Amino acid sequence: MKSLELLIEKIILSSRWILVAFYLGLVAALAVYALSFGYKFLKIAQNVFVYEDFEMILAMLALIDAALVASLIVMVMISGYENFVSRFDEADDQVSFLGKLDAGSLKIKVASSIVAISSIHLLQVFLNANQYTDGKLMWLTLIHLAFVVSAVMLGYLEVMMNGKKKASDADKI
């Protein structure tokens, strides 16, 4: 019976390597997104003397938004691989944050990135407010506020969990 238990545990533990398919898919998605970014950049560069100030601001916000999404993809790939699959052996001295993002801090960083992306999108919407109904503006604002509240709550829960963890560690001493 113990050998069956060990076999099941080995299978379950080895199944984490299936996640690599998802991370490689994110690498491919990042490459496609980089092509999209390059296309947007070339379009902006071609129209640099045509765009009005507000159009240029909207175009720059779109590029910033794309950079934030790309950073989010990289953060999820690296942290997910590091936390759930395997440690990076060669890159410890190259990337300073490796091993420092646990699942809780990763959630907070993802939530913060989503809030930043939502903020930029909302700013783009407000710069074109005349193209939206009041109801649509209200809903977009409420959705953004829901993202903000979620991020704050995740941060609060992480602080609470770290406080309990530190308190239980202090009890052990």
Side-chain angles (χ1 to χ4, degrees):
M1 194 62 157
K2 186 68 173 171
S3 61
L4 179 61
E5 182 181 345
L6 289 173
L7 176 65
I8 291 170
E9 289 172 1
K10 189 175 236 181
I11 290 170
I12 290 172
L13 189 58
S14 297
S15 70
R16 75 186 189 278
W17 287 96
I18 296 171
L19 289 170
V20 171
F22 293 92
Y23 299 131
L24 292 176
L26 286 176
V27 169
L30 185 62
V32 170
Y33 202 53
L35 289 174
S36 171
F37 179 88
Y39 176 76
K40 288 176 189 174
F41 175 78
L42 288 176
K43 188 175 172 185
I44 293 167
Q46 289 173 343
N47 293 306
V48 70
F49 299 112
V50 177
Y51 282 162
E52 296 291 327
D53 286 345
F54 79 94
E55 291 172 316
M56 186 57 80
I57 291 170
L58 286 172
M60 292 299 116
L61 286 173
L63 293 180
I64 292 168
D65 193 32
L68 285 171
V69 170
S71 298
L72 179 62
I73 292 169
V74 169
M75 183 173 42
V76 169
M77 281 188 312
I78 292 174
S79 298
Y81 184 87
E82 176 84 7
N83 283 319
F84 303 116
V85 179
S86 180
R87 300 276 181 222
F88 287 97
D89 297 328
E90 299 291 322
D92 284 339
D93 57 340
Q94 296 173 356
V95 185
S96 64
F97 66 87
L98 283 178
K100 296 179 183 170
L101 282 178
D102 60 1
S105 59
L106 178 61
K107 286 180 198 173
I108 292 171
K109 288 192 178 292
V110 168
S112 299
S113 296
I114 290 170
V115 168
I117 292 164
S118 175
S119 297
I120 290 171
H121 178 70
L122 194 59
L123 180 58
Q124 289 172 320
V125 167
F126 280 126
L127 288 174
N128 284 319
N130 58 345
Q131 297 177 3
Y132 296 92
T133 65
D134 288 344
K136 177 114 179 172
L137 290 172
M138 179 197 67
W139 279 111
L140 290 171
T141 303
L142 288 173
I143 291 168
H144 174 70
L145 288 174
F147 289 146
V148 170
V149 169
S150 296
V152 169
M153 291 303 297
L154 277 173
Y156 178 71
L157 290 172
E158 184 69 13
V159 168
M160 281 180 35
M161 293 301 290
N162 284 339
K164 286 183 180 181
K165 184 178 176 183
K166 287 178 185 176
S168 67
D169 289 345
D171 291 342
K172 292 177 185 175
I173 295 177

